[in-house]
Amino acid sequence: MAIEVLPVTNTIGAEVRGVDLRTCSDEEFETVRRALHMHQVIFLRGAALSPDDHLAVARRFGTPSIFPISRLRGATEPSLQVISDGPDSPPTAEMWHTDLTWIATPPRYALLCGEVIPAAGGDTLWASMTAAYEALSPTMQEILAGLEVEHTTDSFVDSILGRGGHSSEAQDLADQLKMAYPRVVVHPLVRTHPENGRRILFIGGPSRDRIKGLRRVESDALLGFLAHHVADERFQCRWRWSAGDLAIWDERSTMHRAAADHFPQHRTVRRIEIDGDRPYFDPDAHPTAAVPEPDRSRLSA
């Protein structure tokens, strides 16, 4: 069967059919990878990956990450992160963000499997940061090029303390994180995609603090404008989950958020990320891949 790649919107997202990532050939896998780079997030309905399958498929995309908290607790091998919402654990990912921008080498990809899906609500949304950058005026693009943003561990430390009820165990974990990771890491505000040379708005999420070299009021104004800009629906797609679905996205070129409209129903997903590289900005890079055309519905393996 030919691999089908069916766009979810004209800007971002595609459903991939006709392939099983557990058993597909290397050639078929590269077709899927090309679709991922073109559409930035792809969806495989009913993939029904077991936890072992999930890890095995992740390894085809690169080196699975050890989540920072797991590493602090002594983990030496990657493991799946299980994210569960319910009456006693309200959703916490309902803001636009890119994962782990407070580390020097944020993830390259993420793979998310739906396990327990509520009867209504609980969708996930993604936004294209290449499209967001390209929608800016040439003047604004020139202003942003070369700027750098400081990302801090502060919000993550606060979340550890909040979830732990400021217990001694939570405080100890927060202190370990402060010792293991620098409080501030600097990333370019516009980064270059290493696979296709396209420019990407890279503003992160709660960890972003300020733009280097600007006064606080100037930085807040510019970052506030960009946070509003990237939330424009023109840049987004939305996925309605069914149990067993698999979403794979390019962490370098997207932001995402969970819809919290299922609360207090239960929702459980499991995720693993793929190790990334240090973000960089190359002013001389030339894009090699265009925005997906609306009528591009198939890629042959």
Side-chain angles (χ1 to χ4, degrees):
M1 181 187 297
I3 296 175
E4 293 183 290
V5 181
L6 308 174
V8 175
T9 75
N10 289 344
T11 302
I12 180 174
E15 182 179 350
V16 177
R17 299 177 181 175
V19 65
D20 186 335
L21 293 179
R22 296 168 294 190
T23 58
C24 67
S25 68
D26 290 344
E27 184 180 9
E28 291 170 324
F29 179 79
E30 284 308 312
T31 297
V32 173
R33 191 197 294 271
R34 290 198 302 273
L36 172 58
H37 290 162
M38 172 172 286
H39 296 278
Q40 302 175 284
V41 55
I42 57 174
F43 308 99
L44 290 86
R45 280 206 180 276
L49 301 183
S50 69
D52 287 344
D53 292 336
H54 196 162
L55 277 168
V57 169
R59 289 190 175 96
R60 299 192 75 171
F61 285 92
T63 302
S65 303
I66 301 175
F67 195 68
I69 295 300
S70 300
R71 191 181 296 277
L72 291 176
R73 288 174 170 158
T76 58
E77 295 293 331
S79 60
L80 302 170
Q81 304 150 38
V82 178
I83 305 166
S84 292
D85 304 329
D88 300 322
S89 55
T92 59
E94 70 276 17
M95 81 297 288
W96 287 108
H97 65 284
T98 303
D99 294 320
L100 295 176
T101 60
W102 50 268
I103 66 174
T105 55
R108 179 180 304 176
Y109 306 119
L111 295 85
L112 188 69
C113 289
E115 288 194 328
V116 177
I117 305 302
D123 299 355
T124 305
L125 296 85
W126 283 265
S128 168
M129 294 300 98
T130 51
Y133 172 81
E134 291 161 2
L136 294 169
S137 68
T139 300
M140 180 58 77
Q141 291 176 358
E142 184 176 352
I143 290 170
L144 301 182
L147 293 179
E148 295 179 316
V149 178
E150 296 178 349
H151 297 251
T152 77
T153 57
D154 294 352
S155 63
F156 199 75
V157 167
D158 289 344
S159 71
I160 291 173
L161 295 174
R163 289 195 302 269
H166 291 266
S167 64
S168 59
E169 181 181 358
Q171 185 63 60
D172 183 56
L173 187 60
D175 291 342
Q176 289 181 54
L177 187 136
K178 291 177 184 178
M179 292 179 63
Y181 293 90
R183 177 179 171 270
V184 177
V185 65
V186 176
H187 294 309
L189 179 54
V190 178
R191 71 182 293 185
T192 301
H193 198 292
E195 309 286 348
N196 55 38
R198 294 175 70 185
R199 293 186 177 185
I200 303 158
L201 275 179
F202 194 62
I203 64 174
S207 69
R208 67 175 175 267
D209 184 39
R210 65 186 301 167
I211 298 172
K212 284 187 65 177
L214 298 188
R215 294 187 175 93
R216 172 65 72 175
V217 65
E218 296 168 335
S219 174
D220 288 350
L222 186 49
L223 289 176
F225 160 73
L226 292 175
H228 176 77
H229 172 69
V230 300
D232 192 308
E233 291 183 355
R234 292 176 298 164
F235 313 137
Q236 298 175 21
C237 72
R238 184 178 186 120
W239 187 251
R240 172 58 188 155
W241 291 94
S242 296
D245 288 355
L246 170 65
I248 307 170
W249 67 95
D250 190 331
E251 289 270 18
R252 300 163 294 187
S253 62
T254 62
M255 298 180 78
H256 59 282
R257 58 164 294 177
D261 52 1
H262 60 291
F263 184 75
Q265 297 179 80
H266 288 280
R267 177 183 183 270
T268 301
V269 294
R270 52 178 153 83
R271 179 185 68 188
I272 194 157
E273 290 151 335
I274 305 302
D275 283 353
D277 301 314
R278 185 86 192 208
Y280 66 91
F281 173 65
D282 180 357
D284 299 319
H286 297 288
T288 59
V291 176
E293 295 294 334
D295 61 351
R296 184 180 178 88
S297 59
R298 290 175 184 267
L299 290 172
S300 58

